[in-house]
Amino acid sequence: MSQTWRMSATPPARLLAAAAVDLFYRQGATATTVREITQACGLTAGALYNHFSSKEELLYTVVRDMHLALEREVGRAQSAASGPVAELVAIVRVYVDQHARHRKSSRVANQEYTLLTPERRAEIVGIRRRLRDRLTGVLVAGREAGDFDLGGGDQGAATVVATAVLDMCVHVSAWFHEGGALSTAELQDRYVLLALRMAGAARAG
Amino acid sequence: MSQTWRMSATPPARLLAAAAVDLFYRQGATATTVREITQACGLTAGALYNHFSSKEELLYTVVRDMHLALEREVGRAQSAASGPVAELVAIVRVYVDQHARHRKSSRVANQEYTLLTPERRAEIVGIRRRLRDRLTGVLVAGREAGDFDLGGGDQGAATVVATAVLDMCVHVSAWFHEGGALSTAELQDRYVLLALRMAGAARAG
DNA sequence: TGCGTAGGTAAACAAGCGTTCATACAGTGG
DNA sequence: CCACTGTATGAACGCTTGTTTACCTACGCA
């Protein structure tokens, strides 16, 4: 029922991808063998190649789907918000939510995308850059509207704040786990407060 | 002349470790072969085993040395500071400095330590937890002294802020590179401001 | 002079890797 | 009933992996 996988993916492909995420998360993609992935689905090694042309394409699928899902949710949330402050809040909420709820695939996506083919890696890097630029734009707009104080009037100041905010949110996938001291909703609230403060928002404590 | 390697390490071992850092940084530790590491030093594969008992021990050396160096520098800086606000500033300065100046070994240390033997990984995790707890302690002390507002009076609030601050600092090693738009010193200043704001420091903009 | 040691080599090792291939089988539409 | 499609098999492939081994060489020191 996860929105992480595209509709077009065939059921066995989804199972394989899910098993791969779990193993990639625990051991890293390079250290995980095709035999381990297929065995986790009760299959033999060759079966993987009915659904993916290579192990690298399987990693690509996992990584790309997560990035596209994140981009989609961010776009949706940002459209529904009005004004830079609300947009910043919306973006942080989505980031925390995605990285807490889909913690394994998020971590794999963020940690292993560097292993992809140059072309595929470039595609992922493009998505990541678009996502960061989106937040940078929000921060700049907010500064011009008098909502934010970014500690400097240049483009660089906005980029630094955007990078720091996103790094902090992305890393949630590295340590969060449900059933811990904090619920996802509480984490969202706390991180929204931190982000508002980082942006120098007037109404932030 | 890097303080990253212990004095006790023999010269060829240092060369091998330096080559390993570079390759681990670019490809990941698992994807890097012993032959690549030794070849980068003009040696053949077998030579590595005169200096390290295994490839994993080489990774361990690199990862541990970086963590110990960080812990040493943080301890030094914190001792030289007086009061929670100054200590927070000092810790952030050290973190940014280390992760910007030793960007490759820092990234390897943070990204690949999970591949170590359970016992060795536990040792590294211990260092990381001590480092985080140190910052948490500073935040709690500052709150009690009325210097910080952490958005909550419980221990959890301090831990969340500490985690977020360190995540943001650690990730500097993922994107920073000298000769970019920002110098290390400027980055330190900007991140100090962000950290102070996150902690709700009175004097932060 | 000769010996011990540090540090190197080339070659081999077993194991495991990602991937391919010929084959088989189960369901589905004409 | 047949052919087709989708999917899985198990054996094989060629190659690479981390590591070990036996041997070589050069240097510091009694």
Side-chain angles (χ1 to χ4, degrees), chain B residues 185-203:
Chain B
E186 289 168 331
L187 193 67
Q188 282 180 310
D189 292 343
R190 294 201 182 275
Y191 270 52
V192 163
L193 172 62
L194 290 177
L196 287 172
R197 285 179 170 180
M198 292 166 83
R203 62 164 250 225

Side-chain angles (χ1 to χ4, degrees), chain B residues 157-168:
Chain B
T159 306
V160 166
V161 175
T163 303
V165 167
L166 294 188
D167 284 347
M168 153 185 114

